[in-house]
Amino acid sequence: MNNVTIVGGGPVGSLLALLLAKQGRHVTVYERRDDPRTTTPERGRSINLALAARGLRALAAADALTALQPLMTAMPGRILHDENGQTRFMPYGQHPEEINWSISRAEISRALVTLAGKQEGVSLHFNQRCLNIDPDSGTLQFHDQRRGIEHTVHAGTIIAADGAGSAVRGALEQRQSCQSTEDLLAHDYKELSIPARADGSHCMDPHGLHIWPRGEFMCIALPNADGTFTATLFMPRSGPVSFDSLRDAAAVRAFFTAQFPDLLALVPDLETQFAEHPQGGLATLHCWPWHTGNTLLIGDAAHAIVPFHGQGLNCGFEDCLLLDRLLAQHETAAAAFREYESARRLDTDAIAQMALENYLEMRDTVRRSDYALRRELALELERRYPRQFVPRYSMVMFHPEISYSEALHRGQTQERVLDALIAEGVSAASERAAVLIRDAGL
Ligand SMILES: Cc1cc2nc3c(=O)[nH]c(=O)nc-3n(C[C@H](O)[C@H](O)[C@H](O)COP(=O)(O)OP(=O)(O)OC[C@H]3O[C@@H](n4cnc5c(N)ncnc54)[C@H](O)[C@@H]3O)c2cc1C
């Protein structure tokens, strides 16, 4: 298992290549797209994304953080926009390091491929679309898109990081080596670009994730380092207020005028962008098992989730860290893959659930007055009992030492403590709070 073949040179595949090569392995990566170091990348599934502590920890382990830091914009909190365009800043946490970072998807891919390309032991092949896999013989079939020919690679240990639509997973399913289902959300998304001011500066505060929560739907915007923002509208596919209901330019303008007047003022070509940009679907992928013999699925190929906790890539990067450690500990790839699968499954299930739950919080709960009170109570409990009580959002985003499954479990227990304190009308400073926390086993 000194030779590893990775299918998919996206962020997860590239980071894994870096980590494994730093352990002295020979890693060959096959990627279907052009080399991002020499071409303008094709439009991905999202223009920018939020990196948090789990992703940063994995990047640091691969010595990749220094190269990425100049590309990252700090987002210390949410900036909520109401229907009148009034804004309110809500910090994500209460410690200076509790920050999420916005980064361009294209830049992160380019930076990781660049680092992987410089790393001894990594060999990168672009324009190679994987068509099929035979896990028994460890062979992969590719279409070389430049030369227009098909060829076979004898790989041995294979790790598939080819994303949510994984061709490797599809081929394994055909051979009944794994099964997958996709829970499609009834809500879709569409991205819109908010231009920079004429002097290149941001036209809104760049230090936050902007949210326009509207109950059944929402818009968000993340800053880009070049002065632009990428906004994303999430809303039902069909129904009275839905993508289906925004059939023409007039309907789009009327909708934005009523719901997001301040955002409308920042997107002069709204109708054109709305008509031209694709409408994307969102799903949670359940796949099992992830490994067969010497072949493993990782990242979105194994467990794509909805984007509402900003954790899909962070989770994929955390996969890489765990897998790297287990491959170093085990004699065979199959043994490492087996342990990886059983250690990781509970956590990826947990983040899938929390990502779905966070949609309701972002689009609806966050704008309610009782949400602010509950949140203040949670933060006060954290100040008084920092080891026992950490808000669930903070556990997921800022505490990589707490697993996703533990965050889910502790979060549920903490909710019961908050419910009791609110029902009884007692403060975080009360003796009752100490008793509740102790009795809950926190
Ligand atoms: C709207 C939206 C917003 C998001 N926001 C966030 C966020 O804020 N924070 C976060 O952490 N995550 C976010 N995510 C999730 C994140 O984008 C994914 O989890 C992440 O990109 C997964 O990385 P990956 O490398 O596993 O897969 P991908 O990024 O999908 O990369 C797969 C790679 O494999 C290649 N490939 C595909 N098929 C083949 C083939 N047959 N042969 C060879 N190569 C192939 C592709 O070209 C690609 O380079 C968001 C997702 C969406 C849709």
Side-chain angles (χ1 to χ4, degrees):
M1 66 156 166
N2 212 28
N3 296 321
V4 177
T5 299
I6 298 177
V7 180
V12 169
S14 308
L15 180 68
L16 185 64
L18 255 180
L19 284 167
L20 297 184
K22 280 177 186 289
Q23 295 228 14
R25 295 178 205 284
H26 298 284
V27 186
T28 311
V29 181
Y30 291 93
E31 163 60 40
R32 123 189 119 174
R33 290 187 184 150
D34 277 332
D35 185 340
R37 294 168 298 184
T38 53
T39 50
T40 313
E42 73 181 67
R43 217 183 128 82
R45 289 195 306 153
S46 72
I47 292 165
N48 55 19
L49 31 82
L51 271 182
R54 289 170 206 274
L56 299 182
R57 182 165 73 157
L59 290 166
D63 299 323
L65 202 48
T66 316
L68 288 167
Q69 259 153 353
L71 311 170
M72 300 174 3
T73 306
M75 298 188 296
R78 295 165 168 164
I79 301 172
L80 303 179
H81 295 240
D82 72 14
E83 283 84 348
N84 302 315
Q86 297 296 312
T87 59
R88 182 160 51 100
F89 179 74
M90 197 181 267
Y92 279 129
Q94 53 188 339
H95 304 293
E97 70 282 7
E98 294 185 336
I99 288 174
N100 295 325
W101 299 88
S102 176
I103 186 162
S104 143
R105 172 187 290 274
E107 294 291 354
I108 199 169
S109 291
R110 185 183 297 130
L112 288 175
V113 166
T114 304
L115 289 170
K118 288 182 187 158
Q119 175 65 43
E120 197 185 328
V122 176
S123 136
L124 302 167
H125 302 272
F126 294 93
N127 297 294
Q128 304 293 326
R129 176 190 288 270
C130 180
L131 301 174
N132 210 342
I133 177 174
D134 179 352
D136 298 332
S137 61
T139 51
L140 288 157
Q141 210 184 334
F142 287 96
H143 180 237
D144 181 325
Q145 301 176 137
R146 277 273 156 79
R147 294 190 292 159
I149 55 164
E150 287 183 16
H151 61 106
T152 300
V153 168
H154 298 276
T157 301
I158 300 168
I159 301 174
D162 54 343
S166 171
V168 173
R169 190 183 69 241
L172 292 177
E173 279 193 85
Q174 288 232 321
R175 304 173 69 93
Q176 293 175 347
S177 296
C178 72
Q179 281 189 321
S180 76
T181 54
E182 243 187 5
D183 290 342
L184 191 63
L185 207 64
H187 293 225
D188 283 355
Y189 74 97
K190 188 182 282 274
E191 288 176 333
L192 302 165
S193 180
I194 303 176
R197 288 200 186 102
D199 64 1
S201 62
H202 289 95
C203 61
M204 298 188 289
D205 182 352
H207 298 110
L209 187 147
H210 293 258
I211 311 184
W212 290 258
R214 295 294 181 264
E216 268 304 291
F217 55 91
M218 69 173 182
C219 220
I220 66 169
L222 273 73
N224 296 310
D226 64 359
T228 63
F229 282 86
T230 305
T232 311
L233 172 64
F234 296 93
M235 71 188 309
R237 222 173 358 269
S238 57
V241 183
S242 65
F243 279 107
D244 280 1
S245 73
L246 302 180
R247 285 181 197 289
D248 53 34
V252 170
R253 179 153 288 269
F255 174 68
F256 273 75
T257 306
Q259 298 295 341
F260 315 118
D262 53 338
L263 178 57
L264 175 67
L266 305 175
V267 190
D269 57 344
L270 172 72
E271 291 89 337
T272 312
Q273 285 199 41
F274 206 91
E276 288 178 358
H277 292 186
Q279 181 179 324
L282 299 163
T284 306
L285 171 77
H286 305 279
C287 169
W288 195 252
W290 293 334
H291 94 101
T292 171
N294 285 340
T295 301
L296 176 77
L297 301 166
I298 190 172
D300 271 19
H303 48 68
I305 58 177
V306 295
F308 304 112
H309 222 307
Q311 279 293 309
L313 183 57
N314 286 283
C315 176
F317 282 173
E318 202 178 53
D319 287 357
C320 297
L321 210 49
L322 174 63
L323 182 59
D324 180 44
R325 180 162 62 74
L326 293 177
L327 281 168
Q329 284 171 5
H330 286 272
E331 292 287 312
T332 65
F337 291 172
R338 239 189 326 275
E339 186 176 342
Y340 168 84
E341 196 174 59
S342 61
R344 194 69 179 137
R345 176 67 178 210
L346 271 182
D347 288 328
T348 57
D349 281 354
I351 189 56
Q353 180 181 334
M354 291 188 284
L356 281 164
E357 289 171 3
N358 218 46
Y359 187 26
L360 188 63
E361 175 166 328
M362 285 179 87
R363 68 179 152 86
D364 193 25
T365 330
V366 71
R367 63 196 182 140
R368 299 188 177 186
S369 56
D370 56 342
Y371 175 87
L373 285 176
R374 199 177 175 89
R375 193 179 140 70
E376 197 33 62
L377 184 57
L379 292 174
E380 182 58 31
L381 286 171
E382 186 187 26
R383 283 192 284 277
R384 288 176 181 275
Y385 305 96
R387 275 207 289 275
Q388 289 94 330
F389 198 106
V390 181
R392 187 174 94 176
Y393 184 86
S394 301
M395 284 193 272
V396 171
M397 303 306 278
F398 309 128
H399 288 271
E401 76 284 3
I402 302 176
S403 68
Y404 287 128
S405 49
E406 189 184 340
L408 176 66
H409 177 72
R410 275 175 68 174
Q412 287 162 342
T413 308
Q414 292 179 173
E415 284 304 295
R416 288 195 288 277
V417 170
L418 290 174
D419 286 343
L421 286 175
I422 291 166
E424 296 172 26
V426 288
S427 76
S430 64
E431 182 53 29
R432 178 72 180 137
V435 169
L436 281 168
I437 285 183
R438 193 194 58 220
D439 289 356
L442 286 168

